[in-house]
Amino acid sequence: MLIYALDDEPLLLDALKNAIAEVEADAEIHTFIRAKHALKEMDEEKICPDVAFLDIEMPRMSGLELAKSIKDKSPKTNIIFVTGFRQYAVEAAQLHMSGYVMKPVSAEKIRTELDDLRHPVERKSDKRLCVQCFGNFDAFVDGTALHFKLSQTKELLAYLVDRQGSRCTMGEVRGVLWEDRPDNMSQRSQLRNLIADLRGTLKAHDVESVVIKCRNEISIDPGQIDCDYYRFLQGDLAAVNQYRGEYMVQYSWPEMRLPSNARR
């Protein structure tokens, strides 16, 4: 997350930066004493902050004026005003701000605002395998979509993701993939081929350790996967806002499995 912090008083700016860093230890925080320096960086570096904490009363260009300029360049930047005066609240609200922090700042106040951003920030993950469950199911490694030799292999992966690391017997998997069809030797052979395709494709991308296979059971390691559904269950605001009532829609079985807290 890229965060701008602006205050014309150096000591207050340091306090603001420290409070932000305490809440978002991994954030990249750029501090400015002058509004023009922040705008110059945006223009020259072609970057847009995810969040901008702006003191309102600053010389030459106020925080309100700066917010308008930032919004013109980056409409999705979350503007959070930091001030010791309440009289600006109405004018600040007209700028569709994300938050309003009264001085003195504290980590608790900063955390409250960052937990409820107007434009939630999509967190970058260090996990190489990313899966999308909302809408159509899909899987990516380092941003590139996975392509399997067998069409039903993706559905196998989808089911394992849905199970969130729980061990699945071969019989259970066959019952899901082939629904009400009688279990037979042909299905068992097909499932072995699907598992081989899944493991081979993941191995080709050096992420084969995601799949855990032992005797008559198979599962995935959810800790190695960045998944919108998993983040939803953890209460991640961006994932919650991303959910539109559709979950692995290309398959017939997921709707019955979707937890009630994700059906709303």
Side-chain angles (χ1 to χ4, degrees):
M1 184 186 297
L2 174 59
I3 299 178
Y4 275 13
L6 292 95
D7 198 307
D8 63 304
E9 297 186 38
L11 291 179
L12 295 181
L13 181 58
D14 284 343
L16 175 59
K17 178 183 178 181
N18 291 337
I20 296 171
E22 183 176 339
V23 175
E24 286 289 340
D26 296 328
E28 182 179 347
I29 306 172
H30 294 193
T31 59
F32 304 92
I33 292 178
R34 294 288 180 265
K36 65 179 183 180
H37 295 157
L39 296 176
K40 182 179 180 181
E41 180 177 277
M42 290 181 68
D43 290 336
E44 293 184 350
E45 302 296 330
K46 306 299 182 185
I47 58 177
C48 297
D50 297 303
V51 183
F53 287 89
L54 309 180
D55 181 26
I56 291 183
E57 289 199 340
M58 296 191 296
R60 297 185 179 86
M61 180 184 288
S62 72
L64 295 170
E65 294 171 319
L66 175 58
K68 295 176 184 177
S69 296
I70 291 177
K71 280 292 189 181
D72 287 341
K73 300 175 185 295
S74 177
K76 292 296 185 181
T77 293
N78 295 280
I79 302 295
I80 299 176
F81 291 109
V82 183
T83 182
F85 306 95
R86 295 186 180 278
Q87 65 263 34
Y88 297 110
V90 174
E91 191 173 355
Q94 293 173 346
L95 295 173
H96 304 292
M97 65 175 181
S98 178
Y100 199 90
V101 174
M102 292 296 297
K103 294 181 179 179
V105 299
S106 67
E108 290 72 24
K109 293 178 181 178
I110 298 298
R111 181 176 291 107
T112 296
E113 298 303 333
L114 291 179
D115 284 346
D116 190 25
L117 294 174
R118 184 180 184 90
H119 303 291
V121 179
E122 183 175 349
R123 309 282 178 151
K124 294 181 180 180
S125 173
D126 58 356
K127 298 172 183 175
R128 297 187 59 220
L129 177 60
C130 299
V131 298
Q132 169 189 300
C133 296
F134 297 158
N136 281 317
F137 176 83
D138 221 331
F140 308 83
V141 173
D142 298 333
T144 301
L146 285 178
H147 295 286
F148 302 98
K149 294 179 181 179
L150 304 175
S151 60
Q152 209 167 7
T153 303
K154 182 188 284 188
E155 185 175 6
L156 169 61
L157 177 58
Y159 181 70
L160 297 178
V161 169
D162 175 82
R163 294 292 291 151
Q164 304 174 54
S166 297
R167 293 182 179 182
C168 306
T169 66
M170 297 299 110
E172 176 187 346
V173 176
R174 290 194 299 271
V176 169
L177 297 186
W178 288 281
E179 298 180 341
D180 297 328
R181 301 177 195 174
D183 192 8
N184 53 46
M185 294 301 296
S186 175
Q187 288 182 13
R188 298 183 184 190
S189 176
Q190 290 181 64
L191 179 56
R192 285 194 294 270
N193 292 335
L194 294 180
I195 293 174
D197 184 26
L198 175 61
R199 299 177 75 180
T201 302
L202 295 179
K203 183 176 182 179
H205 291 273
D206 295 321
V207 291
E208 67 272 22
S209 62
V210 169
V211 174
I212 303 170
K213 175 71 172 65
C214 57
R215 203 168 176 81
N216 191 45
E217 296 178 328
I218 187 171
S219 62
I220 53 99
D221 178 2
Q224 296 189 48
I225 300 175
D226 177 43
C227 173
D228 51 2
Y229 174 44
Y230 294 172
R231 287 186 277 108
F232 177 98
L233 295 178
Q234 293 166 359
D236 181 84
L237 186 59
V240 171
N241 290 337
Q242 185 181 354
Y243 180 64
R244 295 292 182 271
E246 296 183 330
Y247 177 78
M248 299 187 184
V249 295
Q250 72 264 53
Y251 306 126
S252 60
W253 50 265
E255 177 57 28
M256 295 303 296
R257 302 194 54 78
L258 193 61
S260 59
N261 67 333
R263 289 180 186 157
R264 60 175 182 247

